[in-house]
Amino acid sequence: MVNVVEALDEAEQRCKAEGARLTDKRKQVLEGLLNSDTALSAYQLVDYCKERYNQSIPAMSVYRILDFLQTQKLVHKLELANKYVACSQISCKQDECVSQFLICQNCQRVEEVDIDKSTLRAIERSVKAAGFRLASQQLEMHCLCEECM
C-alpha cells in the first residue's frame, strides 16, 4: 500500500523543483488517486473531494488539475478507460520508468508495473514491421487479478 503522506510530500518537492505549486485542490485530487486501487474518472474525483473535504470542485477544474498532474508526471491517464491513476513511482527518475498497467477486467483494480526495456524494443520492432510508428509506450493490459481468478 502506498504511503499517501510520503507520496504527497515527494510530489510537492517535485513540483517545487520544477517551479510549480501543488495547491491544496491539486493535493486533494492526487490524494484521491493515491487512496484508490482503481482508476478514477474526473467525475469520481469530484465526488471524492465533495465527500472527503466538503469541497465542490467543478469537473472542468478537476480536468485542469489532472492535466497539471500529468504534466508533472504524478498521474497517468488510462486512455482506453478515460480514467486516471496516481503514478506508483512518484519518486522515480522520469527517464528510468516505463510504466505499464495491468487492469483487472472484473474488479477494475489497476497495478502499475515496469517492463523490461528489451521487451519494449521488441514491441517497437513489431510495430515498425507492420508499417506503424509507436505513438506511446504505455500499454494497458486487461487481466484478472488473483482475487478475481
Side-chain angles (χ1 to χ4, degrees):
M1 186 71 179
V2 159
N3 182 320
V4 174
V5 173
E6 286 179 13
L8 288 172
D9 287 344
E10 181 66 35
E12 193 161 27
Q13 294 307 313
R14 183 185 293 179
C15 288
K16 280 183 186 175
E18 295 293 321
R21 271 189 61 226
L22 191 63
T23 64
D24 288 341
K25 288 184 180 183
R26 290 171 176 171
K27 280 183 193 177
Q28 291 169 4
V29 170
L30 181 56
E31 179 187 301
L33 293 170
L34 287 165
N35 280 322
S36 180
D37 285 339
T38 63
L40 299 176
S41 70
Y43 290 95
Q44 289 171 309
L45 288 162
V46 167
D47 293 342
Y48 173 85
C49 291
K50 188 170 185 137
E51 291 169 17
R52 173 99 163 122
Y53 293 103
N54 202 25
Q55 293 274 331
S56 188
I57 305 174
M60 287 309 299
S61 294
V62 171
Y63 278 114
R64 281 192 295 276
I65 290 169
L66 289 166
D67 285 343
F68 168 83
L69 295 172
Q70 274 186 277
T71 300
Q72 297 300 313
K73 299 188 178 10
L74 299 171
V75 303
H76 303 285
K77 181 178 182 183
L78 300 181
E79 297 294 337
L80 295 177
N82 196 27
K83 293 185 177 185
Y84 299 82
V85 293
C87 180
S88 68
Q89 304 166 0
I90 285 178
S91 61
C92 77
K93 300 287 186 252
Q94 298 310 307
D95 295 334
E96 295 174 11
C97 299
V98 180
S99 299
Q100 309 307 319
F101 301 94
L102 308 178
I103 305 165
C104 180
Q105 63 186 19
N106 189 41
C107 71
Q108 304 306 306
R109 186 176 138 237
V110 177
E111 189 70 33
E112 181 178 353
V113 298
D114 287 337
I115 63 167
D116 188 88
K117 297 229 185 222
S118 64
T119 302
L120 190 56
R121 285 191 295 273
I123 292 170
E124 289 171 337
R125 282 192 303 274
S126 295
V127 168
K128 186 175 182 180
F132 286 81
R133 188 175 136 254
L134 195 60
S136 169
Q137 294 181 337
Q138 178 173 304
L139 296 176
E140 300 172 23
M141 296 174 260
H142 293 268
C143 312
L144 286 173
C145 69
E146 287 184 5
E147 288 90 34
C148 292
M149 281 191 267

